[in-house]
Amino acid sequence: MRNRDRMSIGKWISALYREFQIYINNEMKELGICSSEYIYLVTLGEKEGVNMKTLSDELMIDRAETSRIMKKLEQKGLVVREPCVSDKRAVIVRLTDRGRELQPLILEKLDVWTDLLSYGMCEKETEGFIDRLEGMYSRCKNYLKKEMP
């Protein structure tokens, strides 16, 4: 008979998430940002000059939260927000020089965590694991869309 507690995928994903939050908050504190902000800087480093809707969609975070975080990052001098020339309702977000300076430091800290998680796995196993996690996410997201009004 399987031990239900040991076999709970959600329990272990949740535990890993909590441990990651502890790690990332400690690591980001020295950079002057918090765990809710770093992911925006990473994404903007990869997709410079995107509108906030695209940024929210890319990160799977609601627009109101993205707007709050962008305001904080702008106050910290890490991003600038500009009206979109082609669509006056849209706001384009870009990294400042300081925001770009943080990019490699953040990525280095994320690499440490990824290496810890994938320790003992070859590249193919790691890619397969990520594919499975993405599949789990998609199934859950689609299930909730159908079940929730």
Side-chain angles (χ1 to χ4, degrees), residues 34-143:
C34 63
S35 64
S36 62
E37 298 168 338
Y38 83 90
I39 193 68
Y40 290 95
L41 297 175
V42 169
T43 303
L44 286 169
E46 296 168 351
K47 297 178 186 230
E48 182 75 23
V50 298
N51 69 45
M52 292 199 353
K53 180 193 178 312
T54 301
L55 190 57
S56 291
D57 293 347
E58 175 79 18
L59 295 172
M60 298 174 273
I61 298 173
D62 71 81
R63 292 182 201 167
E65 179 66 10
T66 295
S67 184
R68 282 190 292 275
I69 299 294
M70 288 302 101
K71 185 175 182 179
K72 288 179 186 177
L73 291 173
E74 188 173 40
Q75 290 168 347
K76 292 179 180 185
L78 300 173
V79 302
V80 291
R81 296 185 290 175
E82 310 164 336
C84 179
V85 175
S86 61
D87 181 356
K88 298 294 182 198
R89 297 168 298 164
V91 175
I92 302 297
V93 184
R94 299 181 197 289
L95 291 176
T96 62
D97 289 341
R98 176 68 184 135
R100 275 188 285 284
E101 289 171 11
L102 289 181
Q103 184 81 7
L105 303 172
I106 295 168
L107 292 174
E108 180 181 304
K109 293 172 186 310
L110 292 173
D111 286 345
V112 168
W113 188 257
T114 299
D115 290 346
L116 178 63
L117 288 175
S118 60
Y119 179 80
M121 289 189 236
C122 69
E123 188 174 338
K124 189 172 183 175
E125 289 171 319
T126 301
E127 289 173 6
F129 185 70
I130 291 169
D131 288 345
R132 286 191 172 152
L133 287 172
E134 287 174 349
M136 288 177 192
Y137 172 79
S138 293
R139 282 191 302 280
C140 291
K141 186 83 170 170
N142 290 334
Y143 177 80

Side-chain angles (χ1 to χ4, degrees), residues 14-27:
S14 180
L16 281 170
Y17 175 77
R18 288 190 308 271
E19 294 301 318
F20 176 69
Q21 289 303 302
I22 292 167
Y23 168 79
I24 204 69
N25 275 318
N26 286 333
E27 297 297 319

